[in-house]
Amino acid sequence: MSRIAKAVAADPNRVIVFDTTLRDGEQAPGFSMSPDDKVRMAQVLADLRVDVIEAGFAAASPGDEEGVRRVVGEVGRDAEGPVFCSLARASEADIDAAWRGLRATQERRVHLFLGSSPIHRAAKLKMTTDQVLETADRAVRYARTRFDDVEFSPEDAIRTEPEFLAEICEVAAAAGATTLNIPDTVGYATPTEIGDLFLTLIARVRVRFPQVVFSAHCHDDLGLAVANTLSAVEAGARQVEGAINGIGERAGNASVEEIIMAIRTRADRYGLHTAADSTQLVRASRMLSEITHTPTPRNKAIVGINAFAHEAGIHQHGMMADARTYEIMRPQDVGFDGTSFVLGKHSGRHAVAKRAAALGHSVEGQHLLDAFAGFKHRADQIGEIDDRELLAIIEATRPFATGERTHVAA
């Protein structure tokens, strides 16, 4: 039994985090990484304590195989660290390339995939259902001669006939697959639909193969990747697959940071947990942005700079009374220093006075009224008010001994 399967068997409420930032994420347009970049990113993922790092697709090119080898050689030395994985088509040549890339570590997995839907069988593989089943059986059996840990994915599973999907899962499990991944390859599923599918598959396959771990790999073409992943988890999946910042083919993968924090924040609903160190999430997001030269959107859930920022006066007032009024997570739990009060045209007097005090200025009474009026005027002009602007407003409205006040320039 693989280490991952043992972990789930020992704790059925444990959810395995499988990160594919370096494979599915990296192969998307605009997100290519050099071997050096992959090593840097892999180290952060190891610090995040994801369970599996899919380091690449070794058979795709000599450079990809070298990238997998570099990641394993430079990051994969910790016996308690993540399992390292390579994608492979259902062929001996691909499996051999994966083994060469991963052989420096004992904790290795090969991730086999083979199209299963009618459109993939006809247009891409030009195979009958019997030929697909034979290929899956042969590939998994060969993989088990090199790997103790084999994951099998029937590509485009969601658009595969349910009966055939169950059959190919049983064939793969019988051949030795330890994880069965049910990918929504084209982001087609809805949460209710994918939940029902996992319930049906798990009920059928677990009769003969009780130790097999079911996994969800959802794409975001309809904006449902995280919702679909969580629905699969509710239905019994115990591995989730995704990428930092949700990068990946087309509209991307499920965002690892969103899944981790949804499971943690809504433990009341799911009753599950991961082994991830969530305080590394912001660091991982920023490292990826730096490597790929792609800024994280301000409003990105969990790791965007607006995720714990407040400008509206009503919100800021509530936050000063009790952060739980508007924050369901602590910013420190994902790696931010703390809540950010953004001063802008929607901010109230309480927030302005509090920021002034933090800057060493006690602004009260008529001075506060005047400073707040000046603040609102300037905020309408330029939007966000930084500390330099605020200090200028405070000084410009400061009362003098004669009772006169200066005025903020328009």
Side-chain angles (χ1 to χ4, degrees):
M1 186 185 297
S2 70
R3 192 177 85 184
I4 297 298
K6 289 177 182 177
V8 174
D11 182 359
N13 294 325
R14 163 85 178 273
V15 176
I16 300 302
V17 178
F18 178 113
D19 185 277
T20 188
T21 303
L22 303 182
R23 198 279 298 171
D24 196 326
E26 190 266 346
Q27 72 188 32
F31 294 106
S32 293
M33 302 180 204
S34 69
D36 286 342
D37 292 335
K38 284 195 168 189
V39 169
R40 291 169 64 205
M41 193 67 216
Q43 185 58 65
V44 177
L45 294 173
D47 293 343
L48 175 58
R49 297 213 312 261
V50 301
D51 298 285
V52 183
I53 294 177
E54 191 167 42
F57 185 179
S61 71
D64 272 40
E65 184 177 325
E66 177 60 21
V68 172
R69 188 180 298 113
R70 283 276 310 277
V71 166
V72 169
E74 297 181 39
V75 184
R77 299 299 188 185
D78 184 355
E80 298 303 314
V83 172
F84 288 87
C85 175
S86 173
L87 188 70
R89 288 163 294 204
S91 72
E92 291 187 7
D94 274 32
I95 294 165
D96 289 344
W99 184 82
R100 289 194 302 269
L102 296 167
R103 62 183 172 184
T105 178
Q106 295 300 310
E107 295 295 342
R108 55 180 176 254
R109 171 187 293 194
V110 65
H111 178 191
L112 303 178
F113 72 98
L114 179 65
S116 60
S117 68
I119 187 66
H120 278 240
R121 297 194 309 261
K124 190 172 75 170
L125 301 177
K126 304 189 186 310
M127 288 183 178
T128 66
T129 54
D130 285 345
Q131 288 173 321
V132 170
L133 293 175
E134 290 169 6
T135 301
D137 177 72
R138 184 170 58 250
V140 174
R141 290 186 187 280
Y142 181 74
R144 280 305 302 265
T145 67
R146 290 190 171 274
F147 294 86
D148 293 330
D149 191 347
V150 176
E151 177 171 336
F152 178 77
S153 292
E155 189 181 10
D156 201 19
I158 302 304
R159 296 191 296 173
T160 300
E161 307 92 328
E163 179 60 32
F164 181 64
L165 181 61
E167 189 174 2
I168 196 171
C169 285
E170 289 179 320
V171 165
T178 51
T179 299
L180 295 176
N181 180 43
I182 310 301
D184 185 11
T185 305
V186 294
Y188 183 72
T190 65
T192 300
E193 180 181 26
I194 204 166
D196 290 345
L197 178 62
F198 270 83
L199 283 171
T200 300
L201 282 175
I202 291 171
R204 173 166 167 172
V205 175
R206 284 260 171 84
V207 172
R208 293 176 56 200
F209 308 102
Q211 302 302 324
V212 166
V213 176
F214 276 83
S215 179
H217 178 119
C218 299
H219 279 263
D220 208 33
D221 297 71
L222 294 176
L224 296 171
V226 171
N228 284 338
T229 301
L230 294 172
S231 184
V233 166
E234 283 195 285
R238 287 298 176 266
Q239 178 175 284
V240 292
E241 304 192 7
I244 298 297
N245 292 349
I247 68 170
E249 290 282 7
R250 302 180 312 280
N253 286 283
S255 295
V256 163
E257 62 275 10
E258 295 177 24
I259 298 171
I260 289 171
M261 291 311 293
I263 290 172
R264 174 174 173 160
T265 305
R266 295 308 310 273
D268 60 318
R269 177 175 180 85
Y270 298 114
L272 303 170
H273 62 93
T274 73
D277 177 2
S278 64
T279 64
Q280 298 294 320
L281 289 171
V282 169
R283 177 183 169 218
S285 173
R286 290 178 176 174
M287 175 63 76
L288 181 63
S289 293
E290 176 186 326
I291 287 172
T292 61
H293 308 289
T294 304
T296 304
R298 292 182 69 104
N299 65 327
K300 173 70 175 66
I302 313 300
V303 293
I305 62 173
N306 279 6
F308 297 92
H310 305 270
E311 179 182 332
I314 293 173
H315 285 219
Q316 290 177 340
H317 192 194
M319 285 292 299
M320 284 186 280
D322 188 328
R324 293 172 298 177
T325 54
Y326 289 105
E327 288 184 352
I328 60 172
M329 298 167 278
R330 296 193 323 141
Q332 295 87 350
D333 290 340
V334 301
F336 283 111
D337 292 335
T339 295
S340 170
F341 279 10
V342 177
L343 295 183
K345 66 180 183 178
H346 301 108
S347 300
R349 282 196 305 272
H350 294 285
V352 171
K354 183 174 181 178
R355 186 59 192 160
L359 295 172
H361 295 268
S362 177
V363 184
E364 300 174 329
Q366 187 61 47
H367 186 197
L368 176 57
L369 293 176
D370 291 344
F372 186 63
F375 164 84
K376 284 285 190 178
H377 177 72
R378 189 65 174 144
D380 276 334
Q381 291 179 324
I382 66 171
E384 188 173 324
I385 301 295
D386 61 18
D387 290 347
R388 181 183 60 83
E389 288 282 349
L390 182 59
L391 288 172
I393 292 167
I394 292 169
E395 186 59 32
T397 56
R398 187 180 302 282
F400 291 86
T402 60
E404 296 177 353
R405 298 180 180 88
T406 58
H407 296 279
V408 178

